Amino acid sequence: MAKDVIIACDFAGRQQTLEFLDLFAGGRKPFVKIGMELFYAEGPDIVREIKRRGHPIFLDLKLHDIPNTVKKAMRVLSSLDVDICNVHAAGTIDMMRAALEGLTRPDGTRPLLIAVTQLTSTSEERMQNELLIGAGIGETIVKYAQNAREAGLDGVVCSPLEAAMVKDACGPDFLAITPGIRFADAAADDQVRITTPARAREIGSDYIVVGRPVTAAADPVAAYQRCLKEFLNQ
Ligand code: C5P
């Protein structure tokens, strides 16, 4: 798959989401990320509707349960014909293998499957003191990425600043999908470990996930095009 910009459609409901996507009618159909809020509010129909409109979809539900449950849930999601799904690497290699099995359709095709390593909202201090993971956060992220690779997954979600580290450990073809993107002249909001679309390309991100810099822009289409220009250099 080619590099691309994914818009995080963090809207509360169907109407707001479709009105936003209407802005892009007639032009390039952006890759869209659907997260828990929208999926739990609207169910699988919103996924089918956005897919019908021609958008590639990253369904960001971050599954984490016993392997059998994740396998069965992934079997359901595979019928939605999305392009990318994800799980938490903390569910172990067995769980990730089960997810992959559930996601693979009878004809052998499947969406890309990506693992969340450590959430960017988890600090090293909390990881060590609350989760009792003694290693450093960088070491943990690399180990979780290696586990995902061993399980046969296609890549990880990580901070753009961690993409190079993941590529070094898992190879250039192992995908790095990176949120935490801000334009050089914009506010960070609540994100901490951020970088620009252009810098994310240089570090090696395969897909950047951009939410508020596009969804809250005065001109979302122009902001999206700026992301494409900086990230894809086109
Ligand atoms: O608005 P903003 O660009 O910060 O949105 C980033 C998107 O990426 C949100 O949907 C957020 O939930 C998601 N995300 C993140 N950090 C992670 C994983 C997902 O920001 N580690």
Side-chain angles (χ1 to χ4, degrees):
M1 249 192 194
K3 292 188 178 232
D4 210 345
V5 173
I6 303 177
I7 303 181
C9 283
D10 293 324
F11 299 115
R14 178 179 178 279
Q15 191 185 343
Q16 214 187 342
T17 307
L18 297 183
E19 277 173 14
F20 172 77
L21 294 178
D22 281 344
L23 299 174
F24 298 88
R28 179 190 173 117
K29 302 274 183 185
F31 211 121
V32 164
K33 180 170 92 71
I34 299 175
M36 292 182 202
E37 183 185 9
L38 186 58
F39 189 79
Y40 291 157
E42 301 292 348
D45 279 349
I46 189 69
V47 177
R48 295 190 188 99
E49 185 152 8
I50 294 174
K51 190 76 196 177
R52 231 182 355 257
R53 287 169 166 237
H55 296 270
I57 296 177
F58 171 17
L59 188 56
D60 179 21
L61 299 181
K62 300 187 180 72
L63 275 67
H64 186 176
D65 207 317
I66 61 171
N68 187 52
T69 302
V70 169
K71 181 163 120 184
K72 288 180 174 168
M74 281 297 182
R75 190 156 291 154
V76 176
L77 296 184
S78 78
S79 71
L80 288 178
D81 196 24
V82 298
D83 299 273
I84 306 178
C85 286
N86 62 359
V87 293
H88 271 284
T92 75
I93 293 174
D94 275 355
M95 189 208 75
M96 290 190 273
R97 285 203 177 113
L100 205 57
E101 210 182 311
L103 204 56
T104 305
R105 305 181 187 104
D107 65 1
T109 62
R110 63 169 176 82
L112 293 173
L113 184 60
I114 303 296
V116 177
T117 53
Q118 280 293 347
L119 293 170
T120 44
S121 53
T122 306
S123 66
E124 182 168 78
E125 187 190 8
R126 283 183 187 272
M127 187 190 79
Q128 292 177 340
N129 295 340
E130 294 180 24
L131 307 182
L132 300 185
I133 295 172
I137 196 146
E139 201 183 330
T140 310
I141 287 162
V142 165
K143 177 63 178 159
Y144 282 20
Q146 287 169 327
N147 289 350
R149 187 163 183 270
E150 190 177 331
L153 271 62
D154 303 293
V156 291
V157 181
C158 61
S159 150
L161 305 172
E162 289 148 9
M165 200 166 72
V166 164
K167 296 269 182 186
D168 279 351
C170 299
D173 296 336
F174 194 68
L175 301 174
I177 300 191
T178 65
I181 301 296
R182 288 296 179 270
F183 294 122
D185 52 3
D189 304 313
D190 55 348
Q191 294 281 19
V192 179
R193 306 200 59 214
I194 57 171
T195 195
T196 62
R199 184 73 189 124
R201 166 172 49 83
E202 287 161 13
I203 303 174
S205 294
D206 295 287
Y207 294 88
I208 53 170
V209 176
V210 191
R212 288 159 291 180
V214 172
T215 56
D219 183 345
V221 176
Y224 171 64
Q225 278 160 354
R226 183 176 173 190
C227 288
L228 289 175
K229 191 163 187 287
E230 281 195 29
F231 184 60
L232 301 178
N233 214 6
Q234 59 175 224

